Amino acid sequence: MDTDQPTNVGIIGCGAIIAQYLVNFRRLQDNDLINLVAVADLDPARAQAVADSYDGVRALTVDALLAADDVELVLNLTIPAAHAEIALRAIAAGKSVYGEKPLAATTAEARQVLDAARAAGVVVGCAPDTVLGTGIQTARKAIDDGLIGRPISATATMVTPGHERWHPNPDFYYQPGGGPLLDMGPYYVSALVTLLGPVVSVIGAASHTRDERTIGSGARAGQSVPVAIDTHVTGVLVHASGALSTLVMSFDAVKTKSPNIEIHGEHGSLVVPDPNHFDGDVQLFALGAEDWQSLPVSAGYEDSGRGFGVADLIRTPAGQEPRAGGVLAFHALEVMESVLESAHTGSPVRIASTAPRPAPVELAAIALSPVAAGS
């Protein structure tokens, strides 16, 4: 958006995730990057509670927020099934939009969002913005600096016995648009594309262990929710560079000692920190070394958190794609959707879209600098 003035933001969706955004929006607002002016939710009481906790914010209906003249960018924190609808309505109102992941429930809906934004001349961004933090960016710099030589392969592993153990309303995790791959996969696929470049084909397999889940906390503890999707997914991603990434995403398995992401190259291997976090220890084992070594933090936004992708989008020069932008989010969604398609057909699937590696993030504090042209 390339503006030196704070951008007025309105948030639609005041569920569990908004608390993390609000913490960082206060910091970003103090640095004249973001000005939160309004919030909306289908439950007016939830919107009012947020407005009461944040100076200068008013609680509106969804329609009123989309029509508000002082809202320049909509942060879309609705459930995945509503991502495309809200994004399209925001775009139709002439507003840029930054959404929680995934970009939409399907690539067909996501394509409508990108096409509408292009026609309207507004910008689309999308979580995860964890790829902008010091963990993934330090690992990327290590790769770009040749510390492991030419990348050959990667493994990405996310194992949990299910979000119903902690989430008070986990229903959507087990309906179309949910599941371990579409829920947690955006962190891993976005990180792998940032580290290794775009994906050209995939093959996958999937299963599920039970047809219902029991809520473990909150007012609905003990209630059962139906399972309508696969809850254990594995896939192989073929990157344009020739590197191969293996994904394991599970709501069925209990625990793992595997690194969240591990990258192997001709001259060394990297342990990459959890892509659901913004920081973490990057470890290198170089050919001929006696042990792993921790690399110093060398790139990325320091002390960052959810919402930094919004600020980075605002500081992206006009005409350039944001680092946490719609193009990367669409590519990640197509990769994930194609893994599931392959799992059901038993055949490899070619990826039609591409996403150039986003521009690297130089080591920086909260005062974000404009995005430089990247590779």
Side-chain angles (χ1 to χ4, degrees):
M1 296 176 69
D2 195 21
T3 174
D4 291 330
Q5 300 299 316
T7 294
N8 289 341
V9 176
I11 300 177
I12 298 179
C14 297
I17 193 65
I18 195 173
Q20 296 181 51
Y21 278 93
L22 293 179
V23 167
N24 292 302
F25 270 24
R26 286 186 170 92
R27 299 165 59 209
L28 294 166
Q29 191 156 324
D30 288 344
N31 282 268
D32 295 326
L33 293 166
I34 285 173
N35 183 32
L36 181 61
V37 297
V39 294
D41 192 274
L42 291 177
D43 181 350
R46 292 205 302 190
Q48 189 61 56
V50 172
D52 290 344
S53 72
Y54 202 112
D55 291 342
V57 175
R58 61 194 192 277
L60 301 174
T61 66
V62 172
D63 289 345
L65 188 148
L66 291 171
D69 290 337
D70 62 339
V71 173
E72 300 171 89
L73 182 147
V74 170
L75 173 57
N76 181 5
L77 302 184
T78 58
I79 63 172
H83 283 181
E85 176 191 352
I86 294 300
L88 288 169
R89 291 180 63 189
I91 292 166
K95 305 178 191 307
S96 294
V97 61
Y98 183 97
E100 254 304 322
K101 49 75 187 171
L103 181 59
T106 66
T107 53
E109 290 182 347
R111 174 53 64 196
Q112 292 177 2
V113 171
L114 294 188
D115 288 348
R118 189 176 299 110
V122 298
V123 183
V124 173
C126 187
D129 49 3
T130 48
V131 294
L132 308 180
T134 55
I136 300 301
Q137 290 294 321
T138 294
R140 174 185 173 149
K141 189 173 189 304
I143 293 171
D144 291 350
D145 287 349
L147 298 189
I148 65 169
R150 182 174 62 90
I152 299 168
S153 67
T155 57
T157 306
M158 190 291 301
V159 164
T160 174
H163 289 357
E164 75 280 2
R165 296 166 64 88
W166 58 267
H167 198 292
N169 295 293
D171 309 59
F172 68 93
Y173 288 117
Y174 298 102
Q175 297 301 311
L181 184 60
L182 289 177
D183 176 50
M184 297 301 294
Y187 298 106
Y188 290 79
V189 175
S190 297
L192 289 170
V193 173
T194 297
L195 295 167
L196 300 175
V199 176
V200 295
S201 68
V202 303
I203 189 165
S207 64
H208 74 275
T209 58
R210 49 196 186 275
D211 296 327
E212 61 181 30
R213 300 285 178 127
T214 301
I215 300 175
S217 64
R220 298 173 60 202
Q223 292 185 20
S224 295
V225 296
V227 176
I229 43 81
D230 290 314
T231 48
H232 184 97
V233 182
T234 188
V236 175
L237 319 182
V238 181
H239 294 265
S241 65
L244 304 177
S245 293
T246 302
L247 284 174
V248 177
M249 303 279 119
S250 183
F251 282 172
D252 291 340
V254 174
K255 200 71 174 174
T256 179
K257 294 181 73 173
S258 299
N260 295 100
I261 296 178
E262 197 168 49
I263 309 289
H264 303 289
E266 290 182 303
H267 306 308
S269 295
L270 278 179
V271 170
V272 181
D274 188 345
N276 192 18
H277 296 165
F278 287 80
D279 54 12
D281 191 26
V282 179
Q283 294 185 300
L284 168 69
F285 196 108
L287 191 64
E290 294 185 358
D291 203 354
W292 294 90
Q293 68 175 95
S294 294
L295 297 180
V297 171
S298 59
Y301 291 129
E302 296 179 288
D303 194 25
S304 52
R306 280 175 171 79
F308 270 61
V310 180
D312 190 77
L313 179 152
I314 290 167
R315 288 292 181 259
T316 300
Q320 289 190 25
E321 177 69 9
R323 292 184 177 102
V327 170
L328 175 58
F330 182 91
H331 185 63
L333 178 58
E334 186 188 359
V335 168
M336 294 184 295
E337 192 176 78
S338 298
V339 168
L340 295 175
E341 178 187 345
S342 175
H344 296 150
T345 65
S347 300
V349 177
R350 297 287 299 178
I351 305 300
S353 68
T354 191
R357 295 172 80 206
V361 181
E362 294 184 3
L363 189 62
I366 195 169
L368 308 184
S369 57
V371 178
S375 58

